[in-house]
Amino acid sequence: MKRIHVGIIGMGTIGTGVAKILLEANSPLREKLDTVPVLMGIADCNPDAKNKIALPPAVTFTTDANTLLHDPNIHIIVELVGGATIAKEIVIKALENGKDVVTANKMLLALHGSELFRKARQHGKSISFEASVGGGIPIIAELRDGLIANKIECILGIVNGTTNYILTRMTKENVEYGATLKEAQTLGYAEKDPTMDVEGIDSAHKLAILARIGFGVDVNCENIYCEGISKVELSDIWYAHELGYTLKLLAIAKKRESGLELRVHPTLLPHEHPLSSVNGVFNAICIKGSAVGDSMIYGRGAGEMPTASAVVADIVDVALGRANITFNTMKIFSGQCERVSIADMKEIKTRYYLRFSVIDRPGVLAKISGILGNHEISIASVIQRQAKEKGHVPLILMTHIAEEGNLLNALSEIKQLDVVKDQTRFLRVEE
Amino acid sequence: MKRIHVGIIGMGTIGTGVAKILLEANSPLREKLDTVPVLMGIADCNPDAKNKIALPPAVTFTTDANTLLHDPNIHIIVELVGGATIAKEIVIKALENGKDVVTANKMLLALHGSELFRKARQHGKSISFEASVGGGIPIIAELRDGLIANKIECILGIVNGTTNYILTRMTKENVEYGATLKEAQTLGYAEKDPTMDVEGIDSAHKLAILARIGFGVDVNCENIYCEGISKVELSDIWYAHELGYTLKLLAIAKKRESGLELRVHPTLLPHEHPLSSVNGVFNAICIKGSAVGDSMIYGRGAGEMPTASAVVADIVDVALGRANITFNTMKIFSGQCERVSIADMKEIKTRYYLRFSVIDRPGVLAKISGILGNHEISIASVIQRQAKEKGHVPLILMTHIAEEGNLLNALSEIKQLDVVKDQTRFLRVEE
């Protein structure tokens, strides 16, 4: 039996899960493979991390990552430190010392993917990152290998479990955003500072990785349009439901004639869309390919063991020698991908859900729909309620497909009307 | 650029799709890879098959498969003949002549998997078969590699597009089985002789392959319990719907303390189960793994280009050298897997939907539920309608979890009651 030696740097939730699988006496890996990865060392700056699981004497524990990075007896470094600073140093040092790298770090790859891939190629080593998107879902392998015969046309993903949990609770239990967030924090589904998740930044990082694999491009994350869920109101979820739509935070990548649409925002999906029934902490990614048509992959997007499942799959891929082949033959890993031009949001075309707060007076609908019409936006359906909020009534319009630039112009004109109060809310739709 | 030479044997629908992708001027493969598979020859016993697409002069067309099988210049043979006789000879000859094999042939692998895998190992070659289950869905790679860190606990699949199309039409359009089948035949979704599909045999073949990959076992297909959809009645779909369930033909594999449950039958799924919204010709497979928990993969299960997408992914896997590593390091491909003991249907435990046809007389429900109770079967819900059919009324019961042996004993007692008419219908449930 061939042994491949593994060192884990970062013994947080995922690191602990990975160690559990590698150390398991009845490991599925032993059942399935002749070549088995062997855990040799764990590094974590917190000395107490040692006690998270019972380590056999053969496994070194150290608070100094360099001990593993310089150990010539370790072949694979598993970087689970997170963030984009120390993690980057660790990955570079590992590659320079002739080790393959496995990581779950989406931020690192989203921000420094090309640089790190060039470095890995230069040293004849590989970087594997299945766990960086979709937790236990093998989406990277599917997009990279399973759908290799396809030109990817579109990727739609629910790739953040925290926000999907919050939106699901808001939808099913009628609880306001603030209260649901607190509950998610208590349950450990949201961080104390939830910004990265709720403002869509984590989803944008994952979208940058998916775009790289799917479209072979380098992405400047800062240019991805990113709108989170912190401003979502219950009433929009209700009205959308009445119109036949479910609200989800989507990461969207679409091929255009030149460049890509890349955007993260709350999105209305028809109830029958496969993503609209993805609830709670689950993730799912829909991919449209030129040959395969529509496909979807679904599973747990976070958590100790699901994410560890993906990390260990990568470790095996490296141990068997496949990761190295993939990494060194696919152009997407050359580090030479062109930086993609991301379409301006004004150019995107979609249907829109609009919620106006208006004074209940004859002719209001005519005025608003007139302005929309002047900007080439036609209306597909209307909900108007007598129920007043603060003396105003909500007016909900669903448009046909329109250009966002036109919509923004129309909305700024409508804002000037004396019958329109408060901020007008709009949501984009995917069919 | 490295060139790997491919020969296709069998120029039916899928073969044509594969040739299209390989010959495409703007092939996604050229965009993505440095190593590119090159189509060298096509064999089909029908000389007219030559005209299905425009072949460049460099591609040989022959009616004699041996021309390709003996061509030392061809590295990969793509077997798309179908069936388990000629196809088997082709695969063996290809392996003996030092060629790797890619196939979409589920029957061949279900019936002769171990023998062919041994043969391939013996010659240091590989057999790849992503397209054999789930068409364009990369389910084999997911189960084999993506979930390698998992002990697989359960596989539930909608793996036959024909039957899913028929059941979807019956459910949504209220059309009887016979009429829907005819319609499916007209549309090309069902064969003239639909037996393999509608009686569940095709699903059983695919289940045997999934069980091999997921559980590392050899399966005797003949021992898989196999019940098709040809006896499904509209009324059962209606009543089940009222009880909160959707009817699907499922291929089911479940780990038991010893051996496996392997069964194909019409199954009731709660409306909120991810498989219950998989409609039309789409396929989907749910997998429960020890680390990853519940996951699902969804896409087009048949058709020219989706299936070709999977075949070409395999060709690339071979061309890059990964398939050979996988095939020669994973124990499931040793051809030495133990033949699994398949649980007797009498031992399975599930909830049951029962439809009795009874005479409308006081005490009938008491009699039937009394007999069920004597056999340790308790009732969860009841639908009784006044509407008579041929002087009888339907009585629908949903049971709690019960053992099938007990159910069969109870039903044979109930059959003796003079108030029970016609055949009692029962359907199994997955939650």
Side-chain angles (χ1 to χ4, degrees), chain A residues 32 150-151 296 298 331, chain B residues 26 30 32 150 296 298:
Chain A
K32 297 177 185 181
N150 293 263
K151 287 176 190 166
M296 184 176 83
Y298 163 96
K331 292 181 186 173
Chain B
N26 269 326
R30 268 173 244 276
K32 296 178 186 181
N150 292 264
M296 184 176 85
Y298 163 97

Side-chain angles (χ1 to χ4, degrees), chain A residues 220-281:
Chain A
N220 182 350
C221 279
E222 286 176 10
N223 295 342
I224 297 179
Y225 175 80
C226 195
E227 179 188 331
I229 63 163
S230 59
K231 292 191 182 68
V232 169
E233 292 179 25
L234 274 183
S235 61
D236 292 318
I237 294 179
W238 300 334
Y239 293 125
H241 188 268
E242 201 173 326
L243 291 163
Y245 294 87
T246 307
L247 185 70
K248 294 289 180 190
L249 182 68
L250 290 197
I252 300 172
K254 286 188 185 177
K255 185 104 187 133
R256 292 172 68 99
E257 270 186 38
S258 75
L260 287 182
E261 278 176 32
L262 289 178
R263 44 193 169 98
V264 172
H265 52 70
T267 309
L268 297 184
L269 294 164
H271 293 324
E272 61 276 14
H273 193 288
L275 289 177
S276 77
S277 50
V278 174
N279 289 323
V281 295

Side-chain angles (χ1 to χ4, degrees), chain B residues 100-118:
Chain B
D100 290 291
V101 170
V102 171
T103 176
N105 193 326
K106 57 252 175 178
M107 188 198 278
L108 179 65
L109 292 169
L111 300 183
H112 307 294
S114 289
E115 181 189 345
L116 294 175
F117 292 165
R118 272 196 301 277

Side-chain angles (χ1 to χ4, degrees), chain A residues 26 28 30-34 145 148-151 291 295-296 298 305-306 309 320 322 325-326 329 331, chain B residues 26 28 30-34 145 148-151 291 295-296 298 305-306 309 320 322 325-326 329 331:
Chain A
N26 270 325
R30 270 172 243 275
E31 264 177 36
K32 297 177 185 181
L33 292 169
D34 292 322
D145 305 330
I148 196 162
N150 293 263
K151 287 176 190 166
S295 68
M296 184 176 83
Y298 163 96
M305 299 315 289
S309 166
L320 297 188
R322 292 183 308 212
I325 294 177
T326 307
T329 52
K331 292 181 186 173
Chain B
N26 269 326
R30 268 173 244 276
E31 263 178 36
K32 296 178 186 181
L33 292 169
D34 292 323
D145 306 329
I148 195 163
N150 292 264
K151 288 176 189 163
S295 68
M296 184 176 85
Y298 163 97
M305 298 316 288
S309 166
L320 297 188
R322 292 183 308 213
I325 293 177
T326 307
T329 51
K331 293 181 185 172

